[in-house]
Amino acid sequence: MEDYQQLVREYEEREAQRRKYCNLTRIPPSSLAERSRLPRDIHFGKMLYLGYGRNAWHGTWIKRYYPGSISFFEKDLQALSERHRVQGSVFRIEPIPVVYLEYCHDVVVLLAINDRTPASYQPLLENILPFRLDAFWTADEFKIDNWLLTFSLPAWRPDLYPKSYHRMSSSPQGAGRPLRWSRHELDGTEGGICAAFSDFMSRMLRLG
């Protein structure tokens, strides 16, 4: 019994840590213009996005951000889908590449829901000047819906993030019953925004 209670305490402590440090807050890029200084580090990874469709749409999916549709954890997005489902709703949870800019007091998260190639980010990256990011944060690309989304995290805590992700799709089980979720394996590639930002720090450090 004592071992079980210890496991419960450890689980509750970890959940409290996750609620504290894995909580995303969306921020407008323009508010970051004052962050012209160099971040402490840059990290690449993945998070999960909840997409929405209808059976009648035959595989067509809405690809836009709505509150809560980005998370580290499958269970959060599954719970959100239950709150938003109506008759005929289908959902999928898929990993998306994410860039983390680590600062002293928080982390700025960059992600895109779309599937743009690394080359499509080059005009945006040209706004990165030596030791300055103010022009980058006010670039026009940030004003296009879902081109790039910016969030903040309280801290860089990879020990709290899942080690791997899968693509998941839902199917109905009937009225009054939760959605059934099917898991699909993925390869380990990140690509997209992560590949585009691979030389981010060297761009900021160049002498002109």
Side-chain angles (χ1 to χ4, degrees):
M1 178 62 72
E2 184 175 341
D3 289 343
Y4 173 76
Q5 291 175 340
Q6 177 64 25
L7 288 173
V8 170
R9 285 194 296 269
E10 291 175 358
Y11 172 81
E12 291 176 343
E13 181 178 349
R14 188 168 183 83
E15 287 299 300
Q17 292 283 300
R18 285 177 170 174
R19 287 192 296 272
K20 180 178 179 179
Y21 291 110
C22 299
N23 184 34
L24 289 167
T25 301
R26 190 167 183 194
I27 49 177
S30 58
S31 70
L32 296 167
E34 62 191 37
R35 298 200 189 200
S36 59
R37 67 188 186 279
L38 190 71
R40 295 171 55 179
D41 206 347
I42 182 170
H43 310 278
F44 303 106
K46 292 182 179 179
M47 296 185 72
L48 293 172
Y49 167 67
L50 179 67
Y52 168 74
R54 299 293 297 276
N55 281 328
W57 296 351
H58 304 292
T60 300
W61 294 87
I62 292 177
K63 298 197 76 172
R64 64 169 181 259
Y65 172 76
Y66 51 93
S69 60
I70 304 293
S71 178
F72 286 101
F73 307 109
E74 292 175 358
K75 63 180 183 179
D76 293 345
L77 300 182
Q78 290 172 345
L80 180 66
S81 69
E82 295 291 346
R83 293 197 296 271
H84 286 282
R85 65 184 288 197
V86 295
Q87 186 174 2
S89 296
V90 288
F91 299 89
R92 69 180 180 190
I93 296 172
E94 58 183 4
I96 53 175
V98 178
V99 175
Y100 302 93
L101 302 182
E102 183 185 0
Y103 287 92
C104 293
H105 302 296
D106 67 348
V107 176
V108 174
V109 181
L110 297 175
L111 60 90
I113 294 173
N114 58 63
D115 300 318
R116 293 179 182 266
T117 64
S120 66
Y121 290 88
Q122 288 308 306
L124 171 66
L125 295 174
E126 291 304 318
N127 292 291
I128 300 174
L129 303 176
F131 299 96
R132 295 194 62 82
L133 281 176
D134 45 341
F136 171 79
W137 293 123
T138 56
D140 289 340
E141 285 84 352
F142 283 110
K143 301 173 185 176
I144 303 172
D145 286 345
N146 289 342
W147 211 107
L148 277 171
L149 301 174
T150 51
F151 298 84
S152 68
L153 280 171
W156 174 242
R157 289 294 307 270
D159 58 306
L160 299 176
Y161 311 150
K163 305 305 181 187
S164 63
Y165 288 116
H166 304 83
R167 179 180 290 115
M168 303 185 71
S169 57
S170 75
S171 57
Q173 297 193 90
R177 301 181 64 190
L179 294 166
R180 177 190 295 114
W181 290 92
S182 302
R183 176 175 289 188
H184 312 278
E185 296 299 322
L186 294 171
D187 61 31
T189 59
E190 291 173 343
I193 190 173
C194 293
F197 278 73
S198 60
D199 66 345
F200 179 89
M201 294 296 276
S202 61
R203 284 176 179 267
M204 284 207 69
L205 290 167
R206 73 185 189 273
L207 299 179

